Amino acid sequence: MVLKNNKQSIYINMSLGTIGILLIALAAIGHLAKVNDYNGSLMISLGVILTIVYINYLEKKAGINKILIWVRSGVYMVLFFSLSYFLYF
């Protein structure tokens, strides 16, 4: 029972982390669409990418299945590209 609750907690935290990164990335894209600053664009993009890489590393250390990580990454990319297209372009 404890193991099942622990897995559910990990999946909930993984979902919340993905939603948080998605919101940060969408806000960054909105900022980049309004401001034409090359250095700021590079720093924001690099920061979001490094944060995503670190979250993937933490999920692997937490013992989450690789297939689930790939599914989450795919869902994140589809949501990010579709929402950024509809919201900002």
Side-chain angles (χ1 to χ4, degrees):
M1 185 71 172
V2 174
L3 185 60
K4 186 175 181 181
N5 288 337
N6 190 23
K7 289 269 187 194
Q8 289 175 349
S9 174
I10 287 174
Y11 295 148
I12 289 171
N13 287 328
M14 188 173 84
S15 301
L16 291 176
T18 302
I19 291 169
I21 290 295
L22 180 67
L23 292 175
I24 290 170
L26 288 175
I29 290 294
H31 175 74
L32 296 176
K34 293 178 184 172
V35 178
N36 198 8
D37 180 23
Y38 178 74
N39 291 334
S41 302
L42 185 63
M43 287 176 30
I44 289 172
S45 301
L46 187 61
V48 169
I49 289 170
L50 290 176
T51 304
I52 291 171
V53 168
Y54 183 65
I55 287 177
N56 284 337
Y57 169 75
L58 291 177
E59 288 173 350
K60 287 178 187 174
K61 293 292 265 186
I64 296 174
N65 192 357
K66 286 184 180 181
I67 294 172
L68 188 59
I69 292 173
W70 278 100
V71 168
R72 185 207 40 91
S73 297
V75 168
Y76 168 79
M77 287 189 287
V78 167
L79 283 174
F80 174 72
F81 288 122
S82 62
L83 288 174
S84 64
Y85 179 77
F86 288 119
L87 291 175
Y88 300 113
F89 300 110

